[in-house]
Short mmCIF file of all heavy atoms in Angstrom, two decimals:
data_model
loop_
_atom_site.label_atom_id
_atom_site.label_comp_id
_atom_site.label_asym_id
_atom_site.label_seq_id
_atom_site.Cartn_x
_atom_site.Cartn_y
_atom_site.Cartn_z
N VAL A 338 238.99 54.99 107.99
CA VAL A 338 239.14 53.58 107.96
C VAL A 338 240.64 53.13 107.77
O VAL A 338 240.98 52.04 108.29
CB VAL A 338 238.19 53.01 106.91
CG1 VAL A 338 238.52 53.41 105.60
CG2 VAL A 338 238.13 51.40 107.07
N GLY A 339 241.32 53.95 107.05
CA GLY A 339 242.81 53.65 106.72
C GLY A 339 243.57 53.64 108.09
O GLY A 339 244.32 52.57 108.33
N ILE A 340 243.43 54.60 108.91
CA ILE A 340 244.31 54.65 110.10
C ILE A 340 243.80 53.49 111.11
O ILE A 340 244.73 52.91 111.76
CB ILE A 340 244.21 55.99 110.87
CG1 ILE A 340 245.33 56.04 111.97
CG2 ILE A 340 242.91 56.34 111.46
CD1 ILE A 340 246.65 56.22 111.56
N ALA A 341 242.44 53.23 111.09
CA ALA A 341 242.05 52.12 111.89
C ALA A 341 242.65 50.86 111.47
O ALA A 341 243.07 49.95 112.28
CB ALA A 341 240.48 52.13 111.78
N ALA A 342 242.70 50.58 110.14
CA ALA A 342 243.26 49.26 109.62
C ALA A 342 244.79 49.18 109.97
O ALA A 342 245.26 48.17 110.31
CB ALA A 342 243.02 49.29 108.17
N LEU A 343 245.43 50.29 109.76
CA LEU A 343 246.86 50.34 109.95
C LEU A 343 247.26 50.02 111.43
O LEU A 343 248.04 49.14 111.76
CB LEU A 343 247.42 51.79 109.71
CG LEU A 343 248.97 51.94 109.82
CD1 LEU A 343 249.69 51.30 108.61
CD2 LEU A 343 249.35 53.42 109.95
N LEU A 344 246.49 50.83 112.41
CA LEU A 344 246.81 50.58 113.83
C LEU A 344 246.43 49.16 114.30
O LEU A 344 247.04 48.46 115.04
CB LEU A 344 246.30 51.52 114.67
CG LEU A 344 246.84 52.96 114.43
CD1 LEU A 344 246.12 54.03 115.17
CD2 LEU A 344 248.29 52.99 114.72
N LEU A 345 245.22 48.76 113.76
CA LEU A 345 244.72 47.38 114.20
C LEU A 345 245.70 46.27 113.83
O LEU A 345 245.84 45.38 114.64
CB LEU A 345 243.44 47.14 113.33
CG LEU A 345 242.50 45.94 113.75
CD1 LEU A 345 241.88 46.30 115.10
CD2 LEU A 345 241.43 45.67 112.67
N GLY A 346 246.37 46.35 112.72
CA GLY A 346 247.38 45.46 112.34
C GLY A 346 248.81 45.81 112.80
O GLY A 346 249.78 45.05 112.32
N GLY A 347 249.05 46.86 113.51
CA GLY A 347 250.33 47.34 113.81
C GLY A 347 250.79 47.29 115.14
O GLY A 347 252.02 47.11 115.38
N TYR A 348 249.92 47.16 116.29
CA TYR A 348 250.50 47.22 117.56
C TYR A 348 251.33 45.94 117.91
O TYR A 348 252.18 46.02 118.73
CB TYR A 348 249.35 47.24 118.58
CG TYR A 348 248.50 48.53 118.63
CD1 TYR A 348 247.35 48.57 119.41
CD2 TYR A 348 248.89 49.71 117.83
CE1 TYR A 348 246.52 49.73 119.33
CE2 TYR A 348 248.05 50.84 117.94
CZ TYR A 348 246.95 50.87 118.62
OH TYR A 348 246.16 52.01 118.82
N TYR A 349 250.88 44.90 117.38
CA TYR A 349 251.40 43.53 117.72
C TYR A 349 251.99 42.82 116.54
O TYR A 349 251.64 43.08 115.46
CB TYR A 349 250.37 42.67 118.30
CG TYR A 349 249.75 43.35 119.60
CD1 TYR A 349 248.52 43.81 119.60
CD2 TYR A 349 250.58 43.48 120.73
CE1 TYR A 349 247.91 44.55 120.69
CE2 TYR A 349 250.07 44.22 121.90
CZ TYR A 349 248.78 44.64 121.86
OH TYR A 349 248.25 45.21 122.94
N ARG A 350 252.99 41.95 116.88
CA ARG A 350 253.62 41.23 115.76
C ARG A 350 252.62 40.17 115.33
O ARG A 350 252.08 39.29 116.06
CB ARG A 350 254.82 40.46 116.23
CG ARG A 350 255.97 41.36 116.60
CD ARG A 350 256.99 40.69 117.52
NE ARG A 350 258.25 41.52 117.53
CZ ARG A 350 259.13 41.21 118.43
NH1 ARG A 350 259.06 40.22 119.28
NH2 ARG A 350 260.25 42.14 118.52
N LEU A 351 252.21 40.24 114.09
CA LEU A 351 251.29 39.27 113.49
C LEU A 351 251.84 38.71 112.22
O LEU A 351 251.90 39.37 111.26
CB LEU A 351 249.95 40.12 113.13
CG LEU A 351 249.19 40.53 114.27
CD1 LEU A 351 248.17 41.67 113.91
CD2 LEU A 351 248.34 39.35 114.82
N PRO A 352 252.19 37.36 112.25
CA PRO A 352 252.71 36.72 111.01
C PRO A 352 251.68 36.74 109.96
O PRO A 352 252.12 36.61 108.79
CB PRO A 352 253.18 35.33 111.57
CG PRO A 352 252.49 35.17 112.85
CD PRO A 352 252.26 36.45 113.48
N ASN A 353 250.52 36.69 110.30
CA ASN A 353 249.36 36.50 109.28
C ASN A 353 248.28 37.60 109.52
O ASN A 353 247.83 37.66 110.71
CB ASN A 353 248.75 35.13 109.16
CG ASN A 353 249.78 34.07 108.90
OD1 ASN A 353 250.22 33.88 107.87
ND2 ASN A 353 250.17 33.41 110.05
N LEU A 354 248.03 38.36 108.55
CA LEU A 354 246.84 39.23 108.85
C LEU A 354 246.15 39.51 107.53
O LEU A 354 246.64 39.40 106.37
CB LEU A 354 247.41 40.57 109.48
CG LEU A 354 248.30 41.58 108.74
CD1 LEU A 354 247.39 42.52 107.82
CD2 LEU A 354 248.99 42.38 109.71
#
Side-chain angles (χ1 to χ4, degrees):
Chain A
V338 65
I340 191 72
L343 182 76
L344 294 175
L345 194 68
Y348 294 170
Y349 300 108
R350 293 167 168 166
L351 286 160
N353 302 284
L354 67 85

